[in-house]
Amino acid sequence: MTQFIAQNFVPLMFSGLLFFLLTGIPVAFGLAATGLLFGYIGIEAGLFGSNMFQALPLRVLGIMQNDTLLAIPFFTFMGIILERSGMAEDLLETVGQVFGPMRGGLAVAVILVGALLAATTGVVAAAVISMGLISLPIMLRYGYNRTIATGTITASGTLAQAIPPSLVLIVLAAQLGRSVGDMYAGALVPGLLLVGLYLTFVMAVALFKPTWAPALPPEARIYREDNGASGHRSLLVLLLIVGAAGWAWAQVHSDLMKSWTGRSNEAAGDEIVIMSMTISSFLALGIAIADRVLKLNLLSRLARQVTFVLIPPLVLIFLVLGTIFLGIATPTEGGAMGAVGALSMAIARRRLGFKLMKQALDSTARLSTFVLFILIGSTVFSFTFNAADGHIWVEHLFDALPGGALGFLIIVNLLVFLLGMFIDFFEIAFIVIPILAPVAEKILPELLPGAPVDAVMIYAQAGHGRRANLFTDFTFAVRQGNELVPFTKAYSGLTDAEFAEITRWVGKNTLERFGPVRRVKPELVFEIAFEGIQESPRHKSGIALRFPRMARWRRDKPVDEIDTIESLRDLLKVARG
């Protein structure tokens, strides 16, 4: 019996987890129970030492000390305040009036508002419930096909998982050891592409099945001018003006930043886009305010309504995401700004009361506790799973997989798609990601081209989750003359044994301490692989790597042979073509 358990420990552990989940107990407790039960079985069977769980309290303490997770309650609170203060109703009504005259216009409005709600709430349930309660009765009243109406609402609601600032991306960052900013930057374009695909589908349905997605009848279009005009022409002129202003700012942004800040590098692309859209948004709001205060009547009722309803949440998004992308604020600080901004908007709309605040705080506490308990449960499960070398067992499952890295991605996507039919993505992130992440680190590098860079470690910081008791987060530098210039951080790529060896070395070679960060002797050289390289005025080196990772520990290479800042600039020139 003992031999059977030893040979099939990992499959038995998965079977135990499935059993606990099928009993209906909460996922967090099912994960923890599986880890503790099979840890005890492993100790009794002689697979693990009797002191196996000694480090478990440190792992749990590492979760509670993870500053990244502080962003969860902030973004949750921001989203709930905005959703409960009536922003969804105002947006749907306004955007519905803009696109209502065209076939499929209501569905287009639902998708666009869903994308905006996703960027402000970050919570799938909140987005779907808001959209369903508000838009479904209206769509059915005006003759929309029931399947198209419900499908549009549910699909647009799920954008909250993909469009930053998503709570799922914060959880993934914590699980994968990546920065939240990297996760947001990586998810932004795929999220917007998904919005584009949804819009394309709705337009195709309206073209080929016009009765399924009719236009709003004239009597339902409430924003009309005294002469009967719809006001769309005024709105189009306003969009052209602010668009031209944004484009003009984009042409001079780099030069202005060099003049104002004294930096010499060109501005990054995301910085230019965000600042240009921010300028456009503030200009539109300024024009609308001047038109109302001075009673110029240059804008139509529709243009004024769109500006006053749409611009404030857009500005809030730019403040949150912009400061994170630009490196001005951490995700936690960005979430705090978003929460303050949401409260300010609710006060300005005169919709912030004791009842709303109580509901928001209660929902925030519940969701944050839910996420943390699942994270603790998954940590207990992963503790036993990794002690049994479960990641090696999973890796062997993919050894004979056809297609290499691409085949791995296809299988994982299918797995997540099937699991999503039964459990929430939070559970998927906490159960599946820790199991597959070590395998992905070994299989996927062939899809991530980039000439490696040899760099020396100068700072070390303890990791999170199952690696909370190890130093796993490192800052690396390259040479510039006789100086060392920090240029990137990396968190993944080495084995637990290598991290343990480095942790012991850090303890003996620490020069200074800055809270959780240790400045160490510049002696350990590592080969840093990456996906892409670009200029970045936010970094001291002027260069940023996309998805850096430690490819290997260069024990054979002395510090005086590491790469230089000039070699990084040569790589940048090659990347530019």
Side-chain angles (χ1 to χ4, degrees):
M1 185 66 177
T2 302
Q3 185 178 1
F4 174 79
I5 292 175
Q7 292 176 347
N8 299 278
F9 189 84
V10 176
L12 288 173
M13 194 173 178
F14 279 123
S15 301
L17 176 61
L18 180 62
F19 169 77
F20 279 116
L21 295 179
L22 290 177
T23 61
I25 68 172
V27 173
F29 301 130
L31 286 166
T34 304
L36 292 174
L37 174 62
F38 279 85
Y40 174 76
I41 293 174
I43 292 173
E44 290 297 315
L47 299 178
F48 313 131
S50 59
N51 61 346
M52 183 184 108
F53 287 118
Q54 279 187 351
L56 186 57
L58 292 176
R59 299 280 180 89
V60 176
L61 184 62
I63 295 172
M64 310 312 295
Q65 293 176 331
N66 189 346
D67 293 340
T68 301
L69 297 177
L70 279 174
I72 292 177
F74 283 132
F75 282 122
T76 303
F77 181 77
M78 178 185 81
I80 292 173
I81 287 290
L82 291 174
E83 184 247 328
R84 301 281 173 87
S85 63
M87 184 188 75
E89 293 94 326
D90 294 342
L91 284 171
L92 277 169
E93 177 187 299
T94 302
V95 181
Q97 290 294 317
V98 173
F99 294 99
M102 58 181 271
R103 290 195 186 103
L106 276 179
V108 170
V110 167
I111 293 171
L112 293 177
V113 173
L116 194 57
L117 284 179
T120 52
T121 64
V123 184
V124 174
V128 173
I129 291 171
S130 299
M131 305 288 284
L133 291 176
I134 301 165
S135 58
L136 183 59
I138 299 173
M139 297 175 79
L140 296 180
R141 184 191 313 157
Y142 291 117
Y144 268 70
N145 177 276
R146 188 176 297 272
T147 303
I148 293 297
T150 55
T152 301
I153 292 169
T154 52
S156 59
T158 58
L159 290 170
Q161 290 184 343
I163 296 181
S166 166
L167 298 187
V168 168
L169 295 175
I170 298 174
V171 170
L172 283 177
Q175 292 292 89
L176 295 173
R178 297 284 186 182
S179 72
V180 176
D182 281 347
M183 300 302 293
Y184 283 177
L188 185 60
V189 172
L192 295 178
L193 285 175
L194 194 58
V195 173
L197 288 174
Y198 287 169
L199 292 174
T200 302
F201 175 78
V202 166
M203 292 175 184
V205 169
L207 180 63
F208 296 105
K209 293 284 186 178
T211 57
W212 287 12
L216 274 180
E219 61 271 15
R221 304 168 195 170
I222 58 176
Y223 297 112
R224 287 190 172 275
E225 302 303 295
D226 294 335
N227 60 3
S230 66
H232 281 81
R233 182 177 300 175
S234 173
L235 177 61
L236 179 61
V237 172
L238 178 63
L239 288 175
L240 290 174
I241 291 173
V242 299
W247 179 84
W249 179 269
Q251 308 309 305
V252 299
H253 175 78
S254 288
D255 293 335
L256 288 176
M257 290 299 107
K258 290 177 182 178
S259 174
W260 292 348
T261 64
R263 68 189 185 192
S264 58
N265 298 317
E266 295 292 325
D270 55 359
E271 177 184 333
I272 294 175
V273 170
I274 290 171
M275 290 302 299
S276 299
M277 295 182 72
T278 304
I279 294 297
S280 298
S281 300
F282 276 115
L283 178 60
L285 188 60
I287 292 174
I289 292 174
D291 184 70
R292 172 177 288 185
V293 172
L294 301 177
K295 298 181 180 179
L296 301 176
N297 293 323
L298 296 175
L299 298 179
S300 63
R301 295 173 183 171
L302 180 64
R304 283 196 298 269
Q305 180 70 11
V306 168
T307 304
F308 287 123
V309 171
L310 197 61
I311 295 303
L314 280 177
V315 170
L316 182 61
I317 293 170
F318 294 146
L319 284 175
V320 173
L321 291 183
T323 52
I324 294 174
F325 284 170
L326 299 178
I328 298 173
T330 66
T332 302
E333 293 165 346
M337 281 196 305
V340 172
L343 286 172
S344 302
M345 288 174 58
I347 292 172
R349 293 167 178 264
R350 298 180 182 178
R351 293 175 180 175
L352 183 64
F354 177 77
K355 183 178 179 181
L356 172 60
M357 182 65 78
K358 181 181 177 181
Q359 289 176 343
L361 291 173
D362 180 70
S363 299
T364 300
R366 288 176 182 272
L367 184 60
S368 301
T369 305
F370 160 76
V371 172
L372 283 175
F373 263 87
I374 294 182
L375 183 52
I376 292 172
S378 70
T379 299
V380 177
F381 177 84
S382 299
F383 194 87
T384 303
F385 180 82
N386 289 317
D389 291 329
H391 59 285
I392 298 177
W393 182 83
V394 174
E395 187 178 337
H396 287 328
L397 290 180
F398 290 94
D399 280 346
L401 188 70
L406 188 59
F408 172 80
L409 287 176
I410 293 173
I411 295 297
V412 170
N413 274 277
L414 289 175
L415 175 63
V416 172
F417 178 76
L418 293 173
L419 288 175
M421 300 178 183
F422 307 102
I423 58 177
D424 188 80
F425 192 80
F426 281 114
E427 284 90 346
I428 295 175
F430 288 127
I431 297 172
V432 178
I433 300 302
I435 295 172
L436 294 179
V439 183
E441 287 181 2
K442 294 187 176 181
I443 294 179
L444 294 184
E446 65 184 74
L447 290 182
L448 305 176
V453 175
D454 290 329
V456 64
M457 181 178 73
I458 56 174
Y459 294 104
Q461 184 174 350
H464 304 297
R466 68 183 182 88
R467 289 176 172 171
N469 58 333
L470 299 173
F471 283 96
T472 63
D473 301 0
F474 307 129
T475 300
F476 295 96
V478 290
R479 287 187 297 109
Q480 185 174 26
N482 295 323
E483 297 181 357
L484 293 176
V485 180
F487 75 103
T488 193
K489 292 184 177 182
Y491 320 89
S492 61
L494 303 180
T495 65
D496 284 351
E498 289 175 316
F499 280 128
E501 184 179 349
I502 293 172
T503 299
R504 291 190 294 271
W505 182 89
V506 169
K508 299 175 182 177
N509 295 274
T510 297
L511 299 176
E512 286 183 273
R513 297 188 181 189
F514 310 95
V517 180
R518 309 281 184 91
R519 185 169 75 86
V520 298
K521 294 179 181 178
E523 296 178 357
L524 302 188
V525 177
F526 295 83
E527 183 179 286
I528 308 299
F530 52 92
E531 178 184 351
I533 184 172
Q534 63 183 31
E535 266 192 316
S536 173
R538 304 192 295 270
H539 292 75
K540 185 177 180 180
S541 64
I543 291 173
L545 302 184
R546 182 173 173 81
F547 296 129
R549 63 194 182 281
M550 292 169 280
R552 58 176 172 147
W553 186 350
R554 294 299 304 268
R555 302 173 190 264
D556 59 320
K557 197 157 195 174
V559 177
D560 56 1
E561 293 182 9
I562 63 173
D563 283 302
T564 64
I565 193 70
E566 288 76 17
S567 60
L568 284 179
R569 289 171 182 155
D570 290 339
L571 286 175
L572 182 61
K573 292 177 183 177
V574 173
R576 287 174 169 175

